[in-house]
């Protein structure tokens, strides 16, 4: 578990499925991330991250408000996606429920994730990717000190999907 001034980042528990699924099935949240998830797909996403934890020591955490435990998002580190330029690297990522946007929570969670990554891995750098159209995530990557590496066509999206155009960023180990 990671605690920040306002947040707790912890391993997901069964009760997190409902609030995380609500986030993943919200068109506002998923507009720059991909298709809306069914409840089963949401459960599979949580399970996939538990698998990363078992195989790589990485995986996203549930992000909850420290004051009352309200689940507001999903953030952490994972292996870079296969068939992309970041395969084999450590990737940081985040997503928050729309009600918690523009309050600094994503930055707080991402900074905590980066700090955990530096302390618990030997990675020479940590990378992040997002759809080129996702201006908010690109801006956060820059505020985190990440530098744009370039772009690529993400193989998980159809050729005509606007989310296919992807950009990558990295921050080097100090």
């Amino acid at each position: 578990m990671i605690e920040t001034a306002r947040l707790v980042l912890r391993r997901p528990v069964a009760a997190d499925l409902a609030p995380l699924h609500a986030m993943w099935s919200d068109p506002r949240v998923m507009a720059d991330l991909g298709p809306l998830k069914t409840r089963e797909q949401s459960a599979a996403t949580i399970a996939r991250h538990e698998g990363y934890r078992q195989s790589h020591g990485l995986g996203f955490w549930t992000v909850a408000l420290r004051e009352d435990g309200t689940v507001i998002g999903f953030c952490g580190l994972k292996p870079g996606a296969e068939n992309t330029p970041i395969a084999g690297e450590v990737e940081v990522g985040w997503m928050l429920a729309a009600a918690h946007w523009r309050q600094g929570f994503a930055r707080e969670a991402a900074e905590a994730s980066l700090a955990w990554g530096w302390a618990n891995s030997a990675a020479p750098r940590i990378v992040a990717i997002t759809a080129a159209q996702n201006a908010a995530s690109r801006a956060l990557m820059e505020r985190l000190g990440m530098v744009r590496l370039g772009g690529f066509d993400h193989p998980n999206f159809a050729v005509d999907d606007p989310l296919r155009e992807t950009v990558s960023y990295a921050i080097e180990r100090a």
Side-chain angles (χ1 to χ4, degrees), residues 67-107:
E67 68 183 4
D68 64 8
T70 300
V71 173
I72 67 167
F74 204 53
C75 179
L77 303 168
K78 70 178 205 63
E82 296 296 321
N83 302 317
T84 71
I86 65 163
E89 299 210 52
V90 175
E91 176 186 356
V92 64
W94 53 84
M95 59 191 68
L96 293 178
H100 302 283
W101 290 354
R102 296 177 194 84
Q103 298 173 52
F105 293 127
R107 183 175 185 169

Side-chain angles (χ1 to χ4, degrees), residues 38-159:
T38 64
R39 187 172 178 82
E40 294 74 24
Q41 290 167 327
S42 294
T45 297
I46 294 168
R48 183 172 56 254
H49 282 271
E50 185 57 32
Y52 297 147
R53 216 173 317 284
Q54 300 302 317
S55 63
H56 294 85
L58 304 171
F60 280 23
W61 298 286
T62 295
V63 179
L65 295 177
R66 190 172 176 171
E67 68 183 4
D68 64 8
T70 300
V71 173
I72 67 167
F74 204 53
C75 179
L77 303 168
K78 70 178 205 63
E82 296 296 321
N83 302 317
T84 71
I86 65 163
E89 299 210 52
V90 175
E91 176 186 356
V92 64
W94 53 84
M95 59 191 68
L96 293 178
H100 302 283
W101 290 354
R102 296 177 194 84
Q103 298 173 52
F105 293 127
R107 183 175 185 169
E108 191 171 328
E111 286 175 339
S113 297
L114 288 170
W116 186 94
W118 300 133
N120 293 282
S121 82
R125 69 181 186 177
I126 297 177
V127 299
I129 64 172
T130 192
Q133 71 182 27
N134 190 344
S137 281
R138 288 191 340 265
L140 177 52
M141 290 170 190
E142 292 170 8
R143 285 193 306 278
L144 292 168
M146 302 185 98
V147 176
R148 186 174 170 162
L149 299 174
F152 65 96
D153 289 335
H154 201 296
N156 291 352
F157 295 99
V159 173

